[in-house]
Amino acid sequence: MFDAVVVGAGPAGSAAARLLAQAGWKIALVEKGEFPRRKVCGEFISATSGAVLAACGIEQAFLAAAGPPVMRVGLYAGGTMASSPTERLWGRALGREHLDTLLRDAAVRAGAELFQPAEVTGLKRDGETSVCTLEDGREIRAHTIIAACGSWNARGIFAMPVADAPSDLFAFKAHFTGSALPPGLMPLLAFPGGYGGMVMSDSGRLSLSCCIRRDALAAARQRHGGKAGEAVLAHIRATTIGVDRALEGAVLEGHFLSTGPIHPGIRPRLADGVFFVGNSAGEAHPIIAEGISMAIQASGLLAKLLIASREDEYARAWHDSFATRIRAASLFAHLAMRDESRNLCRALIAGFPGILDWGARLSGKM
Ligand SMILES: Cc1cc2nc3c(=O)[nH]c(=O)nc-3n(C[C@H](O)[C@H](O)[C@H](O)COP(=O)(O)OP(=O)(O)OC[C@H]3O[C@@H](n4cnc5c(N)ncnc54)[C@H](O)[C@@H]3O)c2cc1C
């Protein structure tokens, strides 16, 4: 019998498992995938997450492995290449194959029992106890369930089925070596039908990640041919001068990863004895590159309330901490994807680049 079963060992799950285990809770951490694994993600982590990384005991390891400090945010859209006028430490990027393994291992070091690879396929209540069933039929009993299983499950008990629409977003990510991105800059990319970001990550690799609407993806594939990731890259390079310049002479490392459709938003997910964290609770449009930070910060919040036996306050506290960021991200995403608003924004930002700092603050980077 465990105090809690944590479903999913992404940033949200491993952080929750670590923080509860080090407070003396008996934790089962269940992850269906094998680590290390790459993931569709820009890899940027806000400096605001330093406290949670420290509480999880991995801040020094993170700083040692991560890419160089991001000191300016920017915008690459059409012919516009703008960057914020002042320097400050916004954060750093680390590949998910490293970050997720660091966090998972930190949870295990604190005493969490790891079930991996193992998928939770069933969940039921038995009196005061919750029972998780694994794919192989094993059962794990606990007082509390923490659903940290992300939001991209196409099947299974945590799947969130939504009807297909032209506005569905598909996500892509790739690493490049030998890029010419100016040091310390993390530009937001806004292009017809989508948005994305570029940042220097660990080991001298540039991480490029993006989301593109279903209809824009189909048009890009028709125009440029090749595999989906290649067509998206060709579309971005053809429409966004800053990206084309940064990638001149750069070499694609491995291949593009893709996922989707993704459906950012706040999820009305309530279940008896189940607490949702990370993307399972709510997903910000990746345009603000805050999903990992929000995931581990939500786990810090939940762990604090569970340890203090104040878990009734979690839903309200989660909303107060994250709803504004999710709504701001949604606004930025829609401004970036529509031609008229994108053109207006890039003209404004070219004239007043301080707006970039304001946007970064609104997204939760301060
Ligand atoms: C294009 C793109 C770029 C992004 N860029 C950034 C960025 O730069 N910075 C940032 O902060 N965020 C970024 N994000 C968002 C970020 O990737 C997510 O918000 C983050 O991964 C959420 O963490 P999580 O732990 O909630 O979920 P996940 O990382 O999705 O982890 C969930 C885990 O649960 C496991 N799981 C699922 N179901 C089960 C089950 N039934 N049983 C057992 N295990 C299960 C999965 O295998 C997975 O390992 C980006 C997202 C996209 C799409």
Side-chain angles (χ1 to χ4, degrees), residues 72-314:
R72 286 177 197 271
V73 287
L75 173 74
Y76 287 176
T80 302
M81 295 169 66
S83 67
S84 52
T86 48
E87 289 205 331
R88 70 169 69 240
L89 176 61
W90 292 110
R92 292 170 186 253
L94 177 63
R96 293 292 296 269
E97 61 272 44
H98 304 304
L99 176 76
D100 291 21
T101 308
L102 266 181
L103 273 167
R104 178 206 61 184
D105 292 351
V108 172
R109 272 200 308 281
E113 188 173 330
L114 182 66
F115 297 77
Q116 185 181 26
E119 181 172 357
V120 173
T121 52
L123 183 58
K124 63 177 185 220
R125 286 293 273 181
D126 180 9
E128 289 300 294
T129 307
S130 292
V131 186
C132 282
T133 311
L134 305 187
E135 217 172 6
D136 60 10
R138 276 180 294 169
E139 286 189 345
I140 311 178
R141 292 179 163 265
H143 297 295
T144 300
I145 304 293
I146 297 178
C149 39
S151 54
W152 307 340
N153 293 307
R155 62 181 177 86
I157 52 166
F158 298 106
M160 281 169 285
V162 187
D164 288 354
S167 57
D168 282 342
L169 286 178
F170 289 83
F172 293 85
K173 178 264 190 55
H175 283 129
F176 294 85
T177 50
S179 86
L181 186 68
L185 177 67
M186 179 169 72
L188 161 67
L189 318 177
F191 54 87
Y195 61 78
M198 294 197 297
V199 65
M200 285 311 294
S201 190
D202 58 88
S203 319
R205 304 182 296 177
L206 174 129
S207 155
L208 183 152
S209 61
C210 65
C211 292
I212 183 166
R213 284 171 55 112
R214 185 189 290 273
D215 47 7
L217 174 60
R221 292 195 77 168
Q222 206 163 23
R223 194 168 312 120
H224 298 288
K227 292 186 177 155
E230 292 161 6
V232 171
L233 181 63
H235 173 60
I236 300 175
R237 290 188 74 158
T239 54
T240 318
I241 286 176
V243 176
D244 196 48
R245 291 203 184 143
L247 294 184
E248 222 172 72
V251 177
L252 175 68
E253 190 187 78
H255 56 89
F256 268 89
L257 299 179
S258 63
T259 191
I262 66 166
H263 294 285
I266 297 171
R267 320 213 184 276
R269 306 191 69 181
L270 297 169
D272 197 15
V274 182
F275 295 92
F276 292 88
V277 282
N279 272 22
S280 287
E283 179 175 8
H285 273 272
I287 193 163
I288 61 170
E290 282 291 310
I292 304 169
S293 293
M294 287 172 50
I296 60 177
Q297 289 165 19
S299 292
L301 178 67
L302 176 62
K304 194 172 97 184
L305 293 173
L306 283 171
I307 291 163
S309 299
R310 286 167 44 210
E311 58 271 20
D312 290 355
E313 297 170 30
Y314 176 65

Side-chain angles (χ1 to χ4, degrees), residues 52-63 99 102-103 106 109:
V52 193
L53 295 177
C56 290
I58 65 156
E59 193 188 20
Q60 290 314 316
F62 168 78
L63 292 174
L99 176 76
L102 266 181
L103 273 167
R109 272 200 308 281

